[in-house]
């Protein structure tokens, strides 16, 4: 096909899409893009090619992409097809597992552009297909949708959100429950092979005009379900053994949908000294005060930290825009400066706090299926400190693949986390990461530390004295060509590093081979003689190679901690150089 033929086909495909598009906004923008391409504008040609470069693929994260026209973007055509395919899957799977049962599904949405439209059309398609459907009454956090799947005994759940992605993105996250996924994981995100099965159903959907949308018939939920979530989550707070509530909190939802819910939960649990960052308190799909609405990104917490410094607050808590993750910042007593804690640091603090709560009877067996033993879990790329905390407390520990779709499925789960600021502290309520219940327990442990004249950093140091100082870092390498990721991984497989830092590699595991503990995944794990660990894997959501590093320093006394921190940082820097060399950077 010549360049001219390719352009004619591209323009014809675009005109056909515009003709069927039910959204006048995307249809008009597409026609304007066609006009610009015909006038020879290179940027328009590139945008049109990318919009029609294949079909947006449905995977374990559902769908997520930039908003816009075309099959490779998030829009009403793509969402209608996804909803129709998912409806077909729910009808089939529930019919097989429980003949005669009418499937039930609940649909939620955040405050991003078009989220409410995508959610309502999903509800209309589910209803037309014969599914009993519930629609959230407003833009609400993702954990509330996950809660609703279990509370309403649904077979499926859809959350329209792009979480902490840039403003131009939106997404479609799928949960399964009850009869649709009867094995352990009721109310959890989908995993393989469900993703492939649903994708096949979506691909089999006929022409757009064959998808029926009911004019009505679904149930718009009232405020009682959100109230149930707030009440159940607030009830996690310790009434007696950890009664401290003297804590000054600066809270920001980063222009997302979690502010009102988080504030209500914290207030109900007794935390009254809370200041919302005014500029970021209300949902705003354009995220005007941050360049990237991800609490991990530099600058995202600047306004919150300024407020905390001005008010003399004890702690900053931030949720990402859909409130399924939580970030924590506090003033480091060593430097006198505010800093955000790493996900692994918060993960260890929460793990120790959950263990302490269980020891005094609060939270005992939370999340554990009947008859199961409590298990602590974290993703394989997260710190090994939680395993030591769990063992010391007499609990089992399990590592999983990256993502809460795996962590949430651990039988008997009591607490789970991943280093990317995701924490599950009450799996009996929400079988997913939940930044609001995590915020409550973070506030609880910080208040308990303050009551004892300590900070969260002092509590961390106590863990390091008991289990060793665990220090972690990351290296992310963004690439323009996805083929470079394969090339870098192949380079490491062909010529595996023999040392990292000054320590010889003693354990080398190709995670692609799988094991009795972990399904196969593209990644490489190295452990050296001094217990330094390096994991290298391609990102599942971005064109990045991600490298996770951890070193462990033995600490004999509190007086040794400053030197141990310096030694750990130097060791991490040396390992970072070694990883870069191994990758040929």
């Amino acid at each position: 096909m010549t360049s001219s033929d390719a352009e004619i086909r591209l323009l014809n495909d675009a005109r056909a899409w515009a003709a069927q598009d039910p959204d006048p906004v995307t249809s008009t923008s597409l026609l304007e893009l066609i006009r610009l391409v015909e006038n020879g504008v290179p940027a328009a040609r590139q945008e049109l090619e990318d919009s029609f470069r294949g079909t947006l693929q449905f995977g374990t994260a559902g769908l997520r992409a930039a908003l816009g026209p075309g099959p490779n973007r998030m829009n009403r055509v793509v969402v209608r097809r996804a909803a129709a395919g998912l409806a077909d899957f729910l009808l089939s799977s529930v019919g097989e597992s429980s003949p005669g049962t009418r499937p039930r599904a609940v649909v939620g949405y955040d405050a991003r552009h078009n989220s409410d439209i995508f959610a309502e059309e999903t509800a209309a398609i589910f209803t037309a297909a014969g599914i009993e459907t519930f629609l959230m009454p407003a833009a609400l956090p993702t954990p509330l949708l996950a809660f609703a799947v279990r509370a309403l005994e649904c077979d499926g759940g859809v959350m329209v959100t792009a979480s902490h992605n840039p403003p131009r993105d939106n997404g479609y996250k799928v949960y399964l429950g009850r009869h649709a996924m009867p094995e352990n994981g009721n109310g959890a995100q989908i995993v393989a092979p469900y993703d492939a099965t649903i994708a096949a159903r979506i691909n089999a959907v006929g022409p757009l005009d064959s998808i029926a949308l009911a004019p009505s018939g679904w149930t718009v939920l009232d405020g009682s379900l959100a109230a149930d979530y707030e009440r159940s989550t607030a009830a996690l707070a310790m009434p007696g053994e950890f009664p401290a509530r003297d804590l000054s909190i600066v809270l920001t939802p980063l222009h997302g949908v979690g502010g009102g819910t988080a504030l209500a939960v914290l207030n109900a649990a007794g935390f009254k000294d809370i200041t919302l960052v005014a500029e970021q308190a209300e949902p705003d799909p354009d995220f005007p005060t941050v360049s990237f609405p991800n609490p991990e990104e530099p600058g995202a917490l600047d306004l919150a930290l300024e407020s905390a410094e001005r008010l003399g607050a004890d702690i900053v808590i931030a949720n990402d825009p859909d409130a399924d993750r939580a970030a924590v910042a506090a003033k480091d007593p060593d430097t006198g400066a505010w800093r955000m804690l790493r996900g692994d640091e918060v993960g260890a603090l929460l793990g120790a706090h959950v263990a302490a709560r269980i020891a005094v009877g609060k939270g005992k067996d939370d999340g554990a299926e009947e008859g199961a033993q409590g298990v602590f879990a974290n993703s394989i790329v997260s710190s090994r400190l939680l395993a030591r905390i769990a063992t010391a407390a007499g609990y089992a520990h399990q590592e999983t693949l990256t993502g809460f779709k795996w962590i949430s499925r651990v039988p008997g789960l009591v607490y789970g986390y991943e280093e990317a600021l995701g924490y599950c502290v009450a799996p009996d309520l929400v079988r997913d990461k939940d930044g609001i219940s995590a915020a409550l327990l973070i506030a609880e442990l910080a208040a308990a530390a303050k009551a004892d004249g300590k900070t969260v950093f002092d509590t961390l140091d106590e863990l390091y004295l008991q289990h060793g100082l665990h220090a972690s870092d990351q290296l992310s390498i963004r690439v323009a060509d996805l083929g470079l990721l394969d090339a870098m991984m192949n380079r490491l497989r062909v010529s595996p590093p023999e040392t990292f830092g000054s320590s010889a590699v003693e354990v080398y595991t190709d995670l692609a081979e799988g094991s009795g503990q972990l399904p196969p995944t593209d990644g490489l794990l190295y452990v050296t003689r001094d217990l330094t660990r390096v994991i290298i894997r391609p990102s599942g959501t971005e064109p990045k190679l991600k490298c996770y590093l951890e070193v462990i320093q033995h600490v004999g006394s509190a007086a040794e901690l400053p030197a141990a921190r310096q030694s750990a940082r130097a060791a991490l820097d040396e390992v970072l150089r070694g990883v870069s060399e191994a990758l040929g950077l």
Side-chain angles (χ1 to χ4, degrees):
M1 181 182 296
T2 67
S3 175
S4 176
D5 290 339
E7 181 165 311
I8 290 170
R9 179 174 178 178
L10 175 63
L11 291 172
N12 286 339
D13 287 346
R15 290 189 189 97
W17 185 280
Q20 64 154 357
D21 194 340
D23 189 335
V25 175
T26 49
S27 177
T28 300
S29 69
L30 182 54
L31 291 173
E32 174 61 14
L33 198 59
I34 292 169
R35 186 187 68 79
L36 292 173
V37 171
E38 290 175 329
N39 289 340
V41 179
R45 169 68 185 262
Q46 182 177 351
E47 174 67 18
L48 192 64
E49 285 181 338
D50 191 54
S51 298
F52 283 81
R53 185 180 289 118
T55 300
L56 190 59
Q57 294 301 302
F58 184 93
T60 54
L63 299 170
R64 193 176 292 185
L67 290 160
N72 200 33
R73 295 285 188 265
M74 283 294 295
N75 50 65
R76 287 167 66 181
V77 175
V78 167
V79 167
R80 285 187 183 188
R81 294 183 61 83
L86 178 56
D88 189 41
F89 167 81
L90 290 173
L91 290 164
S92 174
S93 60
V94 172
E96 291 176 4
S97 66
S98 185
T101 300
R102 184 186 181 192
R104 294 160 63 94
V106 57
V107 183
Y109 57 97
D110 66 10
R112 285 178 178 265
H113 293 296
N114 276 11
S115 286
D116 54 347
I117 296 171
F118 294 163
E120 186 166 341
E121 292 203 343
T122 296
I125 290 166
F126 283 179
T127 301
I131 296 170
E132 184 181 2
T133 304
F134 305 92
L135 180 65
M136 288 293 198
L140 290 166
T142 293
L144 249 164
L145 184 280
F147 173 82
V149 174
R150 293 169 67 86
L152 299 174
E153 297 185 340
C154 287
D155 304 296
V158 171
M159 181 66 192
V160 181
T161 180
S163 190
H164 53 274
N165 274 38
R168 68 189 296 250
D169 288 3
N170 213 326
Y172 202 78
K173 183 183 289 188
V174 174
Y175 296 78
L176 295 178
R178 209 172 61 147
H179 303 108
M181 189 169 55
E183 75 272 18
N184 188 52
N186 178 20
Q189 296 178 51
I190 57 171
V191 293
Y194 296 99
D195 58 334
T197 304
I198 295 170
R201 301 277 179 162
I202 294 170
N203 292 337
V205 171
L208 189 68
D209 59 12
S210 70
I211 301 172
L213 283 80
S216 61
W218 58 90
T219 300
V220 178
L221 297 166
D222 58 23
S224 61
L225 187 129
D228 287 346
Y229 168 85
E230 291 172 6
R231 183 170 52 254
S232 299
T233 304
L236 296 171
M238 293 292 283
E241 286 79 7
F242 293 97
R245 291 295 182 265
D246 177 20
L247 191 73
S248 176
I249 302 169
V250 168
L251 177 69
T252 176
L254 288 182
H255 300 293
V257 295
T261 304
L263 187 61
V265 167
L266 288 165
N267 282 165
F271 293 96
K272 304 299 185 181
D273 187 359
I274 303 173
T275 300
L276 271 171
V277 177
E279 301 92 329
Q280 299 172 336
E282 295 301 320
D284 189 328
D286 295 318
F287 305 101
T289 69
V290 290
S291 57
F292 202 125
N294 181 348
E296 289 183 294
E297 292 292 322
L301 298 190
D302 283 357
L303 286 175
L305 296 178
E306 289 170 10
S307 295
E309 180 66 26
R310 183 176 66 253
L311 296 169
D314 297 308
I315 198 167
V316 167
I317 300 176
N319 289 126
D320 65 339
D322 70 328
D324 65 350
R325 302 198 305 165
V328 182
K331 187 171 282 191
D332 190 329
D334 288 343
T335 64
W338 283 85
R339 80 165 176 89
M340 194 179 100
L341 279 71
R342 300 184 68 88
D344 281 326
E345 292 174 319
V346 178
L349 286 168
L350 281 172
H353 187 63
V354 169
R357 288 161 53 89
I358 295 172
V360 296
K362 180 68 177 180
K364 186 171 178 61
D365 295 329
D366 277 2
E369 302 295 340
E370 186 174 353
Q373 296 300 308
V375 180
F376 287 56
N378 57 262
S379 63
I380 190 172
V381 299
S382 300
S383 174
R384 291 163 287 179
L385 179 53
L386 183 65
R388 297 188 178 195
I389 292 169
T391 299
Y395 282 84
H397 175 267
Q398 186 171 325
E399 282 187 333
T400 74
L401 295 184
T402 303
F404 260 86
K405 57 184 176 285
W406 298 109
I407 296 170
S408 64
R409 279 176 171 70
V410 170
L413 181 68
V414 169
Y415 167 70
Y417 94 94
E418 62 180 359
E419 46 71 42
L421 310 184
Y423 315 99
C424 178
V425 301
D428 56 327
L429 297 180
V430 174
R431 197 163 284 273
D432 196 7
K433 56 185 180 289
D434 181 351
I436 294 171
S437 57
L440 173 61
L441 263 61
I442 288 163
E444 185 175 85
L445 70 88
K450 183 181 179 182
D452 288 340
K454 300 183 295 188
T455 70
V456 292
F457 293 106
D458 296 320
T459 306
L460 264 177
D461 285 347
E462 291 170 358
L463 293 175
Y464 295 152
L465 287 171
Q466 184 177 359
H467 304 294
L469 191 154
H470 290 59
S472 58
D473 205 348
Q474 287 188 31
L475 173 65
S476 292
I477 304 153
R478 185 175 289 274
V479 298
D481 180 2
L482 290 176
L484 293 174
L485 296 180
D486 291 335
M488 286 190 281
M489 293 298 290
N490 288 337
R491 175 190 175 99
L492 292 171
R493 287 186 169 100
V494 171
S495 302
E498 295 182 356
T499 62
F500 281 109
S502 56
S503 186
V505 173
E506 289 194 333
V507 176
Y508 164 65
T509 304
D510 189 341
L511 299 175
E513 296 176 0
S515 68
Q517 292 73 44
L518 294 172
T521 187
D522 191 7
L524 301 169
L525 181 150
Y526 310 87
V527 180
T528 71
R529 185 170 299 157
D530 67 0
L531 298 183
T532 293
R533 188 189 67 182
V534 175
I535 298 176
I536 302 174
R537 71 176 186 92
S539 169
T541 57
E542 300 177 272
K544 285 181 178 180
L545 192 72
K546 304 190 77 171
C547 311
Y548 304 82
L549 325 174
E550 185 178 47
V551 300
I552 302 174
Q553 299 277 331
H554 174 71
V555 188
S557 67
E560 296 176 17
L561 278 167
R565 272 192 269 272
Q566 291 183 348
S567 177
R569 183 65 260 173
L572 285 169
D573 290 340
E574 192 175 1
V575 176
L576 279 168
R577 288 191 292 272
V579 170
S580 296
E581 291 172 4
L583 292 169
L585 302 177

